[in-house]
Amino acid sequence: MRDVEKVIEGLKQETIREITKKDARPEAQLAWYWTYIGSLDMAQQLGLINDARRQELYREVDRFKPKYKVQAAQEAKPNHLAAVEMGAEGNYNQIDGVINNEAPKPSLRETLRQYQEETGKSQGGDVPPGSSRDPER
């Protein structure tokens, strides 16, 4: 049991040192704190310390807990469809709430009209606009 206490004491000292560094980023401080808390939870789950000791160790580092808040996550409106899409999307060029969609394709009418225009120009003729050459009529 003494070895466990030595390891926990080492973890605690390293955590406090990293959290209180003057140039430490707030994200890193928070990560150090929660890593230490997670280590205590794991030690309790493995039966290396009991719950009372775990709570005592929590209180010892509580005053060092960073006061950091993640602004973007709290202020952003959740878009659940976009979140699902980012996890399943085959291409990231359209994150719009529709999974695995492709860029909109031109309609059959537009494609046919474009071919008619290209054909008319290549043969030297002119394709008159309007419904007289409309293939759907």
Side-chain angles (χ1 to χ4, degrees), residues 69-129:
K69 290 194 299 187
V70 180
Q71 296 293 331
Q74 291 175 347
E75 293 173 3
K77 293 182 180 180
N79 183 346
H80 305 296
L81 291 176
V84 169
E85 186 178 5
M86 282 188 268
E89 186 69 55
N91 58 355
Y92 283 99
N93 63 344
Q94 284 189 299
I95 303 297
D96 57 3
V98 180
I99 295 176
N100 283 333
N101 61 328
E102 296 178 5
K105 296 179 182 176
S107 71
L108 184 58
R109 180 184 296 179
E110 289 297 318
T111 304
L112 188 55
R113 189 168 287 142
Q114 181 182 3
Y115 287 137
Q116 286 176 342
E117 288 174 6
E118 289 173 6
T119 304
K121 288 179 184 175
S122 66
Q123 294 176 356
D126 191 21
V127 177

Side-chain angles (χ1 to χ4, degrees), residues 7-128:
V7 171
I8 290 174
E9 183 60 30
L11 287 171
K12 181 174 72 172
Q13 293 305 317
E14 184 177 16
T15 299
I16 292 170
R17 183 177 60 250
E18 292 298 323
I19 289 174
T20 57
K21 272 186 178 176
K22 289 183 180 182
D23 61 342
R25 292 186 9 230
E27 298 91 347
Q29 292 172 323
L30 198 61
W32 272 101
Y33 175 80
W34 286 112
T35 300
Y36 175 73
I37 295 298
S39 299
L40 296 178
D41 291 345
M42 181 63 74
Q44 189 263 329
Q45 290 174 0
L46 293 172
L48 301 173
I49 59 175
N50 60 26
D51 190 54
R53 179 67 177 136
R54 181 178 62 123
Q55 294 296 328
E56 180 183 327
L57 291 165
Y58 279 1
R59 287 188 295 275
E60 289 178 11
V61 295
D62 192 51
R63 65 188 174 106
F64 296 103
K65 182 178 180 181
K67 304 293 188 253
Y68 178 74
K69 290 194 299 187
V70 180
Q71 296 293 331
Q74 291 175 347
E75 293 173 3
K77 293 182 180 180
N79 183 346
H80 305 296
L81 291 176
V84 169
E85 186 178 5
M86 282 188 268
E89 186 69 55
N91 58 355
Y92 283 99
N93 63 344
Q94 284 189 299
I95 303 297
D96 57 3
V98 180
I99 295 176
N100 283 333
N101 61 328
E102 296 178 5
K105 296 179 182 176
S107 71
L108 184 58
R109 180 184 296 179
E110 289 297 318
T111 304
L112 188 55
R113 189 168 287 142
Q114 181 182 3
Y115 287 137
Q116 286 176 342
E117 288 174 6
E118 289 173 6
T119 304
K121 288 179 184 175
S122 66
Q123 294 176 356
D126 191 21
V127 177

